């Protein structure tokens, strides 16, 4: 069957969950926005999850696979892309709350192989907030083994003073996640599972999808081809987690109400909301990107723009971490070649949102859709 024929059949399935459910104003609002979006960008499937005033809402559209026609549901596994960084940030904050590290520690304190390199002067916080001095978006071509990766870090030289410029970087936060896991005495995937995913009952979230769960793992689509993310250096730490809308809503609700948790994990989640510096309208927290709310569509799109992802930005550091107080919006985008993710929090309004899709579509459209949903919830 041709790709266009399969896409047509997927389009016909849009909203099947809606038709099976009792119609509601919120359902109508979502249908009227998501169906045209999916048609415009040829998105085979989407899962939307909302938490509002303590109530959960799930909406599913289209298919997880054009080949099989399997419908999307709340247990379908999507690639999170850089939304994975929120889990990495939570693990790092957990390691600090447990006394295994301090964000002020230098990287080489936790990886002796980096002693004598620039990482003697670069803090874990700088790695986590992309201010190490110009680490690039991706590892250079040819860095495909752990030895090559460590050689790269040892030889790397900063282009800017640490803490002066933000340059969004997988090798930066990836190294932070690697060192956080090392401080806790086990590989990243194991420690993430034991200390973050399992305590939050996120039983449908994986760095490596187990064989028995592969049937629930959606296919992503790019240029009419079915694709999935390929292994890479520090992929789990930076962009490699796969999860469902049901699991991600559990994570969102933990972030909306961290006080309902106990011990170091509660402290860790709260810590990820603190701001460390300002870039334009955005305050960089630990993983999360934070704004004052209400906010215009243009401001939030600017904060999630290609320019913010690819170009260095001068930062305005705070003398001490800025507490998460007042009416705030926290968000994070994520993409792989075949998937798109977006999550948003409004803690003061008890609203959280998850958008997952098996085609990469523009960040500006994710932000637009999210703000439309938020506005609909508050009418």
């Amino acid at each position: 069957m041709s790709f266009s024929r399969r896409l047509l059949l997927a389009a016909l399935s849009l909203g099947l969950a809606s038709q099976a459910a009792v119609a509601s104003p919120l359902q109508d609002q979502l249908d009227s926005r998501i169906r045209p979006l999916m048609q415009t960008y040829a998105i085979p499937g989407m899962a939307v999850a909302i938490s509002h005033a303590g109530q959960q809402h799930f909406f599913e559209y289209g298919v997880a696979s054009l080949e099989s026609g399997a419908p999307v549901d709340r247990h379908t596994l999507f690639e999170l892309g850089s939304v994975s960084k929120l889990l990495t940030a939570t693990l790092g904050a957990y390691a600090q709350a447990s006394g295994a590290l301090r964000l002020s520690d230098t990287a080489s304190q936790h990886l002796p192989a980096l002693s004598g390199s620039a990482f003697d002067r670069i803090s874990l916080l700088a790695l986590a907030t992309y201010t190490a001095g110009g680490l690039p978006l991706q590892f250079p071509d040819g860095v495909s083994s752990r030895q090559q990766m460590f050689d790269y870090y040892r030889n790397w030289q900063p282009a800017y003073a640490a803490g002066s410029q933000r340059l969004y970087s997988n090798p930066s936060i990836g190294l932070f996640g690697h060192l956080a896991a090392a401080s806790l005495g086990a590989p990243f995937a194991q420690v993430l599972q034991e200390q973050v995913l399992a305590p939050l009952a996120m039983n449908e979230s994986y760095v490596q999808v187990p064989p028995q769960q592969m049937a629930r793992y959606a296919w992503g689509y790019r240029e009419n081809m079915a694709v999935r993310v390929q292994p890479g250096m520090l992929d789990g730490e930076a962009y490699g987690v796969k999860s469902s809308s049901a699991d991600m809503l559990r994570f969102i609700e933990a972030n909306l109400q961290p006080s309902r948790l106990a011990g170091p994990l509660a402290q860790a989640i709260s810590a990820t909301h603190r701001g460390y510096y300002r870039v334009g309208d955005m305050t960089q927290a630990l993983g999360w990107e934070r704004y004052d709310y209400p906010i215009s569509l243009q401001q939030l799109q600017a904060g999630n723009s290609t320019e913010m992802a690819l170009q260095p930005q001068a930062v305005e550091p705070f003398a001490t971490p800025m507490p998460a107080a007042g009416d705030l919006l926290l968000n994070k985008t994520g993409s792989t070649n075949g998937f798109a993710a977006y999550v948003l929090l409004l803690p003061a309004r008890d609203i959280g949102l998850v958008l997952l899709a098996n085609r990469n579509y523009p960040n500006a459209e994710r932000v637009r859709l999210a703000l439309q949903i938020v506005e609909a919830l508050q009418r």
Side-chain angles (χ1 to χ4, degrees), residues 210-283:
Q212 63 271 27
Q213 301 300 331
M214 288 297 291
R216 294 196 291 113
Y217 185 1
W219 282 98
Y221 290 88
R222 183 185 186 189
E223 298 178 352
N224 300 342
M225 298 291 293
V227 296
R228 284 176 176 158
V229 70
Q230 297 300 306
M233 293 297 97
L234 303 181
D235 54 352
E237 292 88 336
Y239 57 84
V241 177
K242 298 84 180 173
S243 187
S244 66
S245 61
D247 255 22
M248 287 309 297
L249 198 62
R250 294 185 184 95
F251 180 70
I252 290 299
E253 290 185 329
N255 277 267
L256 288 174
Q257 299 286 345
S259 61
R260 295 181 179 177
L261 303 171
L265 186 55
Q267 299 172 45
I269 289 176
S270 294
T272 64
H273 298 181
R274 296 176 192 145
Y276 290 95
Y277 56 79
R278 190 178 298 278
V279 182
D281 293 316
M282 188 266 280
T283 294

